[in-house]
Amino acid sequence: MAAAAAGRCIGRFMDLDLRKGHLGSSPHPTSHSLHVFHRRYESCSLSMNGCQGDPKIPIGTIQTRTFPGVSTHSLALDTLSSAISHLNSDPPPFTSGILRLQVPIQQKIEAIDWLHAQQELLPRCYFSSRSQSSSFDPFIDSVNGDGNGLEDHDLVSVAGIGAAVFFRHIHPFSLDDWKSIKRFLSKKCPLIRAYGAIRFDPRANVSSEWKAFGSFYFVVPQVEFNELEGSSILATTIAWDNALSWTWEKAIGALQATMCQVSSIVGKLRKEVCKTFVLSNSHVPSKAYWNLAVNRALQIIGRADSPLIKVVLARSSRVVTTSHIDPIAWLACLQVEGQNAYQFFLQPPDAPAFIGNTPEQLFHRKRLCIRSEALAGTRARGGSKAQDLQIELDLLSSPKEDFEFSIVRESIQRKLEAICSMVRVEPKKGIRKLPRIQHLYAQLSGRLRSEDDEFDILSSLHPTPAVCGFPREEARLLIAETEMFDRGMFAGPVGWFGGGETEFAVGIRSALVEKGFGGLIYAGTGIVRGSNSSLEWEELELKISQFTKPIKVEVPLS
């Protein structure tokens, strides 16, 4: 059985709904698309879609086994391969379950370097914490007392390939979908996590470039690399459920097939994109249409009978280059500017890569404690310390920016107060400085009444007024009427679910990249009374500059 599964290394990772072609209605009219099926990546073995299971039935076992630490990545790979072979002949006595095997490495290796070494195996994912010091307290479930605890380590970033189990559907993310994911998670195994993203607007028509992502896409990687402060972990995860016709034998065979493709050699990735020429650089909407759209939004906002106070309008910029852009190398460039930002990378099979460098946290929950933040108002950084301070003071004192920021902060505060026993806002208005941009900023924290409120948190907070507008439904409808492209996961929740901890960022400052065909770069800006369409266009240019800086924006001579 394992040998047969190993021979299916190129099996397609597509759930039943997508194979039948049931992905929503007709594509949104747009002139921007990526030819996502022209270039094939290597796909890891077939897996199971956890959304097809019964969320009310718990799985049989959730375990983490930790092996003694080793000095190199290659030795860790050998340890895991040997352990998997042993498990193949000694299956657990459960009809469903999830098992993580992990080996500490006494060497710090960057997760993005590891991901780059893995020969473009799909699916693949990457998530880097904004603070670079997100402490975790992994209580490792040592089966029969065999495991070694991993204590007092800080998780910096995570990279993964393959899918032990994935979660995807064409319908909007629901409570049952959340329960289907949580079914495979446990507080006792905090590093078993589901990484992924949710569409900005699941009711909007899906365009071809976003088709493989579904309405949401989450994955528990088959093979995962954890970058810690001062060390690393290499791990594999096996998930099975006989009720989904995905048995232990199939799962272990699929993992062995993926392990055969994992590179033991990890080199240092140069954090720069090879200089290239840009054949074309076009925007949807064009500058002329943007002016019309902003002015129409201002007319609606200004009407006495209109409840609309703010709407966030976005732009898609397509960059086509003479040579291909490696999405991981592009993300590595964003990492250089990644202070106070999350970096993420998500690529299902037969799909482009969704990458981003977002400064905005949606929420972070650890047990009953929750944090969120308001981020709005934008200015460039100054060329000197004095100029930067003057721009900061201008941002803090601008009535228009204060009005836009207050809408976001107060909306998030009200939503947290509905599910928390107390909410604190500190600071109420400060400055968040990024390498190219500075924003108005407030942090909100509270204590949940129940951990089961997590789904309510997600559905309540997303989309915030920072990426949609206010009131939410009026803004969403105007966005749907105005924008002539599919936002997809842009401005949607991007992050991970864990057993006792969950963290999501807002998928802004992001792009959809297909190796060999350039990319679509997304940016948005808030429109309120007093906005100016030309200034808002300049803000869009500022926000995408971190993507365009690494490449030469020139048209070569014929």
Side-chain angles (χ1 to χ4, degrees):
M1 178 68 73
R8 295 194 294 270
C9 287
I10 58 171
R12 290 293 155 221
F13 179 78
M14 301 291 282
D15 62 84
L16 183 62
D17 294 307
L18 293 184
R19 287 200 302 267
K20 290 180 179 177
H22 290 170
L23 191 61
S25 50
S26 58
H28 200 293
T30 172
S31 60
H32 279 182
S33 62
L34 294 175
H35 304 284
V36 298
F37 299 108
H38 286 196
R39 178 182 175 88
R40 291 289 182 181
Y41 293 84
E42 289 294 325
S43 287
C44 297
S45 296
L46 191 69
S47 180
M48 65 174 169
N49 186 346
C51 290
Q52 296 172 350
D54 188 340
K56 296 185 292 295
I57 300 177
I59 61 172
T61 184
I62 302 176
Q63 302 177 12
T64 296
R65 299 181 186 179
T66 304
F67 295 88
V70 297
S71 58
T72 67
H73 172 262
S74 180
L75 289 174
L77 196 59
D78 290 342
T79 299
L80 289 174
S81 296
S82 176
I84 294 166
S85 296
H86 177 74
L87 284 171
N88 196 22
S89 59
D90 186 23
F94 302 98
T95 59
S96 65
I98 187 165
L99 172 61
R100 175 182 165 103
L101 310 176
Q102 59 185 26
V103 181
I105 303 172
Q106 298 151 2
Q107 174 188 10
K108 180 174 179 178
I109 301 170
E110 291 191 38
I112 199 166
D113 293 339
W114 181 88
L115 186 63
H116 190 257
Q118 301 315 317
Q119 302 293 320
E120 301 171 349
L121 294 172
L122 298 186
R124 54 183 177 171
C125 63
Y126 175 88
F127 190 84
S128 178
S129 174
R130 182 177 59 189
S131 65
Q132 300 291 300
S133 61
S134 177
S135 295
F136 66 97
D137 182 20
F139 177 93
I140 304 301
D141 182 17
S142 301
V143 179
N144 298 326
D146 293 339
N148 293 328
L150 298 175
E151 294 151 332
D152 299 324
H153 285 292
D154 292 329
L155 184 59
V156 176
S157 57
V158 174
I161 59 169
V165 55
F166 70 98
F167 307 86
R168 175 175 49 192
H169 212 290
I170 58 174
H171 66 219
F173 189 67
S174 68
L175 179 61
D176 277 350
D177 295 320
W178 175 75
K179 289 179 178 179
S180 294
I181 294 174
K182 299 296 281 190
R183 181 171 175 249
F184 287 87
L185 307 177
S186 169
K187 293 177 185 176
K188 292 184 177 182
C189 301
L191 294 184
I192 297 179
R193 296 173 173 178
Y195 297 90
I198 302 172
R199 282 179 63 84
F200 168 76
D201 184 358
R203 288 169 287 187
N205 292 332
V206 180
S207 59
S208 60
E209 64 267 23
W210 288 106
K211 185 174 181 180
F213 289 83
S215 183
F216 58 89
Y217 178 83
F218 287 90
V219 60
V220 178
Q222 272 182 320
V223 185
E224 183 179 308
F225 192 87
N226 301 152
E227 176 189 344
L228 309 177
E229 292 286 358
S231 61
S232 312
I233 300 173
L234 184 66
T236 60
T237 301
I238 310 152
W240 71 101
D241 188 346
N242 291 2
L244 297 181
S245 300
W246 188 250
T247 63
W248 165 264
E249 290 77 16
K250 287 182 178 179
I252 201 84
L255 176 58
Q256 288 178 316
T258 299
M259 289 290 284
C260 289
Q261 303 174 78
V262 174
S263 172
S264 62
I265 301 172
V266 179
K268 191 67 179 174
L269 174 63
R270 294 178 62 190
K271 294 189 176 181
E272 61 181 39
V273 176
C274 294
K275 292 295 183 181
T276 183
F277 286 105
V278 174
L279 291 173
S280 65
N281 182 20
S282 59
H283 306 296
V284 172
S286 64
K287 180 66 163 59
Y289 186 82
W290 171 263
N291 292 338
L292 292 173
V294 171
N295 290 334
R296 177 172 179 261
L298 288 171
Q299 289 174 359
I300 295 172
I301 290 170
R303 289 204 313 247
D305 61 343
S306 172
L308 188 66
I309 297 173
K310 174 186 177 180
V311 65
V312 178
L313 297 180
R315 187 185 75 181
S316 166
S317 301
R318 185 180 185 189
V319 176
V320 179
T321 58
T322 53
S323 57
H324 76 253
I325 299 175
D326 182 349
I328 297 181
W330 212 356
L331 181 64
C333 290
L334 301 181
Q335 248 191 350
V336 174
E337 299 193 9
Q339 301 168 3
N340 291 326
Y342 299 91
Q343 290 84 45
F344 62 84
F345 182 112
L346 185 65
Q347 188 171 20
D350 288 333
F354 181 45
I355 70 172
N357 183 52
T358 173
E360 188 169 351
Q361 181 187 77
L362 185 62
F363 75 92
H364 180 197
R365 179 191 70 83
K366 191 165 187 179
R367 302 294 194 266
L368 290 174
C369 298
I370 184 170
R371 293 200 312 264
S372 186
E373 65 186 31
L375 204 68
T378 303
R379 291 288 189 279
R381 295 297 301 273
S384 66
K385 188 174 181 179
Q387 185 185 32
D388 195 56
L389 178 59
Q390 184 56 52
I391 294 172
E392 174 186 331
L393 294 174
D394 176 65
L395 179 56
L396 285 168
S397 60
S398 166
K400 180 254 182 186
E401 303 292 3
D402 180 73
F403 177 62
E404 180 182 347
F405 172 70
S406 297
I407 293 170
V408 177
R409 182 189 60 206
E410 291 168 12
S411 172
I412 295 173
Q413 182 175 349
R414 285 193 300 271
K415 289 172 180 177
L416 288 180
E417 286 172 345
I419 50 178
C420 293
S421 56
M422 54 82 70
V423 174
R424 184 175 63 185
V425 184
E426 184 64 36
K428 291 188 180 297
K429 186 167 79 169
I431 293 289
R432 166 73 58 77
K433 289 185 181 287
L434 304 168
R436 298 172 184 275
I437 293 176
Q438 46 191 322
H439 299 286
L440 293 175
Y441 158 80
Q443 185 170 79
L444 301 92
S445 58
R447 185 170 181 82
L448 295 169
R449 298 183 182 94
S450 167
E451 290 188 40
D452 290 337
D453 290 333
E454 184 176 78
F455 176 77
D456 293 332
I457 298 166
L458 184 58
S459 56
S460 174
L461 288 179
H462 172 71
T464 71
V467 294
C468 181
F470 188 83
R472 177 191 289 183
E473 187 58 19
E474 285 79 0
R476 188 195 68 81
L477 289 173
L478 182 56
I479 289 169
E481 292 172 6
T482 304
E483 292 181 357
M484 299 304 293
F485 66 94
D486 179 15
R487 287 193 182 191
M489 268 67 178
F490 164 67
V494 180
W496 50 270
F497 290 107
E501 186 177 6
T502 292
E503 185 166 24
F504 277 89
V506 182
I508 57 173
R509 315 293 152 80
S510 54
L512 202 58
V513 189
E514 172 67 2
K515 191 170 181 180
F517 295 95
L520 299 175
I521 308 171
Y522 303 95
T525 181
I527 309 302
V528 297
R529 190 190 301 267
S531 292
N532 177 283
S533 62
S534 294
L535 294 179
E536 302 299 343
W537 183 269
E538 291 176 10
E539 183 175 316
L540 296 175
E541 292 292 303
L542 179 63
K543 287 176 175 176
I544 71 167
S545 62
Q546 62 177 319
F547 283 95
T548 57
K549 180 189 175 185
I551 56 179
K552 284 185 178 178
V553 184
E554 299 176 16
V555 178
L557 296 175
S558 58

